[in-house]
Amino acid sequence: MKAIVCHELNGPAALRLEDIPEPSPAAGQVRLRVRACGVNFADSLITRGQYQVQPEPPFSPGFEVAGDVLELGEGVTEFAVGDRVIALTLHGGYAEQAVVNVNRCVAIPPAMPYQHGAAFPVVFGTSHIALWHRARLQAGETLVVHGASGGVGLTAVAIGKQLGATVIATASSPEKLDIARQHGADHLINTSHDDIRLRIKELTEERGADVIYDPVGGELFNASLRAIAFEGRILVIGFAGGTVPQIPANHLLVKNVDVIGLNWPAYAERHPTVMTESFRILLDWYLAGAIQPYVSEIYPLEEAVDALHQVVSRKSTGKVVITVGD
């Protein structure tokens, strides 16, 4: 079978398309025919040896796939051969086949295409658990979403609206802001030239934002800390801007601010009932037409490195997906 393989931890440029042996499922696992794989910023981190759970080379990147069950490991009764599933992989999604623990698989609704399935779990799962479970966003509150046209950003906009919040979207160009507006954002801030703190204060009548969703870090985090409301919550989602902020604790004290981290994959192992309930809610919303993945670009497996470059360079909007085979 074909797979994109990382032999050295020096970034996406070292990835190569190779023929490798088909995997075999162990007890409690399933072997999948991968139809589509979502592309995430973390795929670049794992190729650099910078991911929080780092495999030794050789390995394939890819944390989320949609496909068909080809083989059941010992003891697996939840699925049958031929079932369509979404799966969260520890890595290995950039391949024609993948082996996944059965507790990381969810049945795909018949109405959901593979490309939507592969674009769904990481971005919607991250934003939903962040806003619903961690920040406990309430109807009527004000939510600021940084990087609002990106993969997780757009889902945070959509979920914020679904939870009843007023959503302020930030992005670096009018084109990206327009995409956020199309997905429900109430107000827009252009980070290339607007004073972020001032605009958030203006849009909230000087009160500040109740919740700020930050997958970017750097100067955006610093502006967020100055524009948060009393008892506000800042969600630390990632550092796509490249700089990990250092938080002055006295600022947290003055406004009684919560800074809340989110390691979304950890829920699969440490608190699976939260992830299961989150997926149930999200799939219900999807089937009702309330949310839908925005797949902006699709690449074949052979062009997976180009797909990853699009995400890492922050040139993409929404979700980038790799399709595998037919």
Side-chain angles (χ1 to χ4, degrees):
M1 74 170 201
K2 293 188 181 301
I4 300 292
V5 181
C6 178
H7 287 283
E8 298 177 359
L9 299 177
N10 56 4
L15 295 173
R16 298 289 182 268
L17 181 66
E18 299 180 2
D19 288 307
I20 65 172
E22 292 185 353
S24 297
Q29 295 183 325
V30 296
R31 178 166 63 96
L32 301 180
R33 164 70 165 91
V34 177
R35 299 289 184 176
C37 178
V39 180
N40 296 284
F41 184 81
D43 296 344
S44 70
L45 298 180
I46 204 170
T47 66
R48 299 181 190 279
Q50 297 173 351
Y51 194 61
Q52 53 258 50
V53 181
Q54 183 63 49
E56 292 294 326
F59 63 88
S60 294
F63 295 108
E64 55 183 345
V65 300
D68 310 312
V69 176
L70 290 177
E71 184 182 358
L72 306 175
E74 181 182 351
V76 174
T77 58
E78 294 89 338
F79 297 101
V81 171
D83 284 353
R84 302 169 72 244
V85 298
I86 297 168
L88 301 174
T89 57
L90 296 175
H91 54 82
Y94 288 27
E96 292 181 332
Q97 296 181 24
V99 165
V100 188
N101 292 343
V102 69
N103 63 359
R104 289 174 166 263
C105 298
V106 178
I108 299 178
M112 177 181 274
Y114 291 114
Q115 293 170 7
H116 279 188
F120 196 84
V122 169
V123 289
F124 276 105
T126 295
S127 293
H128 186 250
I129 287 183
L131 295 172
W132 160 74
H133 179 68
R134 295 290 284 145
R136 292 176 171 82
L137 180 67
Q138 302 296 309
E141 290 191 314
T142 298
L143 166 68
V144 172
V145 178
H146 293 314
S149 69
V152 292
L154 275 182
T155 61
V157 171
I159 290 170
K161 293 302 297 179
Q162 188 67 16
L163 293 173
T166 296
V167 177
I168 301 170
T170 83
S172 60
S173 72
E175 295 77 17
K176 291 181 176 181
L177 287 170
D178 188 56
I179 292 169
R181 179 190 57 77
Q182 293 172 31
H183 284 75
D186 299 290
H187 305 287
L188 308 174
I189 298 176
N190 189 322
T191 57
S192 294
H193 56 69
D194 290 344
D195 183 316
I196 299 165
R197 173 185 172 276
L198 181 63
R199 287 291 294 135
I200 292 173
K201 288 285 193 175
E202 288 175 349
L203 292 169
T204 59
E205 299 180 343
E206 299 301 317
R207 181 176 176 275
D210 297 293
V211 176
I212 298 180
Y213 181 99
D214 183 12
V216 181
E219 288 304 313
L220 279 181
F221 181 90
N222 297 334
S224 299
L225 199 55
R226 297 168 64 216
I228 195 73
F230 184 79
E231 292 191 335
R233 292 89 79 198
I234 301 177
L235 286 158
V236 178
I237 307 299
F239 313 106
T243 303
V244 178
Q246 303 301 304
I247 303 170
N250 60 312
H251 287 214
L252 309 184
L253 181 150
V254 170
K255 289 187 180 179
N256 287 5
V257 172
D258 293 334
V259 177
I260 303 170
L262 181 76
N263 176 11
W264 176 75
Y267 281 94
E269 305 299 332
R270 294 177 173 270
H271 209 334
T273 55
V274 171
M275 185 171 279
T276 301
E277 177 65 7
S278 175
F279 273 130
R280 185 193 65 77
I281 294 169
L282 289 168
L283 289 172
D284 283 348
W285 287 352
Y286 176 88
L287 293 173
I291 58 172
Q292 188 173 83
Y294 173 55
V295 178
S296 60
E297 296 177 79
I298 298 171
Y299 291 78
L301 180 64
E302 294 76 11
E303 298 176 16
V305 175
D306 293 335
L308 185 51
H309 279 310
Q310 279 292 100
V311 173
V312 173
S313 66
R314 298 175 66 187
K315 294 179 180 177
S316 61
T317 56
K319 192 72 176 181
V320 175
V321 170
I322 295 166
T323 55
V324 184
D326 299 334

